[in-house]
């Protein structure tokens, strides 16, 4: 009888330990995305897992100042259309081209100029495909990509 109880205890304890290890290793994912004076991101696709803590750094590797060639990284919510959002963003100049309270977004960085970088942290949303853009006026058509959550 003691033997059977020991086996049961092992079976019950081991899977629990495995789950804990998995959570510990997949918790944080670091992403670096570059932008430049040619109005381009160096990534058009980013993949993460649902529930990951995403630590995203946006670098501006160009030389032009923020007022002329500012860049940000904006992750749009499901159902937010890129074009209409960008048109709204143009009117939000005083808020770094982010519509009030980040409406229609999941996460966004501040606006930066050449030689600068900025980092944000957010939790990856539910599985699916999302769009990211730079919302500086006129940039989204060239500066966009797909954020895939698996
Ligand atoms: Cu830009």
């Amino acid at each position: 009888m003691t033997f059977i109880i020991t086996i049961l205890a092992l079976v019950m304890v081991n899977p629990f330990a495995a789950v804990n290890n998995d959570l510990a290793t997949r918790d944080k994912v670091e992403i670096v995305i570059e932008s430049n004076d040619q109005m381009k991101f160096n990534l058009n696709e980013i993949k993460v897992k649902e529930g990951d803590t995403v630590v995203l750094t946006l670098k501006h590797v160009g030389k032009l100042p923020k007022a002329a060639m500012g860049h940000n990284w904006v992750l749009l919510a499901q159902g937010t259309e890129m074009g209409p959002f960008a048109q709204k963003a143009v009117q939000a100049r005083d808020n770094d081209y982010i519509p009030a309270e980040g409406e229609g977004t999941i996460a966004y960085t501040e606006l930066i100029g050449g030689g600068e970088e900025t980092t944000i942290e957010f939790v990856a949303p539910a599985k699916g495909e999302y769009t990211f853009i730079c919302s500086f006026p006129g940039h989204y058509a060239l500066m966009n990509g797909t954020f895939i959550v698996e």
Side-chain angles (χ1 to χ4, degrees), residues 82-143:
M82 184 166 74
F85 177 87
Q87 281 167 21
K88 250 192 190 172
V90 168
Q91 291 153 31
R93 187 177 168 196
D94 293 343
N95 197 37
D96 278 0
Y97 303 108
I98 299 294
E101 276 124 47
E103 189 192 333
T105 73
I106 291 169
Y108 54 88
T109 69
E110 61 178 327
L111 190 71
I112 58 173
E116 297 177 333
E117 65 173 69
T118 183
T119 300
I120 54 167
E121 206 173 297
F122 62 97
V123 176
K127 284 178 190 164
E129 293 199 358
Y130 302 78
T131 299
F132 66 82
I133 64 166
C134 168
S135 70
F136 190 90
H139 287 197
Y140 79 94
L142 281 175
M143 301 186 76

Side-chain angles (χ1 to χ4, degrees), residues 10-24:
L10 282 174
V11 166
M12 289 173 75
V13 166
N14 280 337
F16 183 68
V19 166
N20 277 346
N21 284 340
D22 184 47
L23 279 176

Side-chain angles (χ1 to χ4, degrees), residues 8-46:
L8 274 177
L10 282 174
V11 166
M12 289 173 75
V13 166
N14 280 337
F16 183 68
V19 166
N20 277 346
N21 284 340
D22 184 47
L23 279 176
T25 52
R26 74 179 177 86
D27 200 17
K28 263 192 184 181
V29 54
E30 289 187 25
I31 291 157
V32 177
I33 180 166
E34 291 182 0
S35 55
N36 61 23
D37 286 343
Q38 284 70 49
M39 222 191 282
K40 289 265 176 67
F41 284 129
N42 71 333
L43 300 177
N44 55 24
E45 193 181 286
I46 295 172

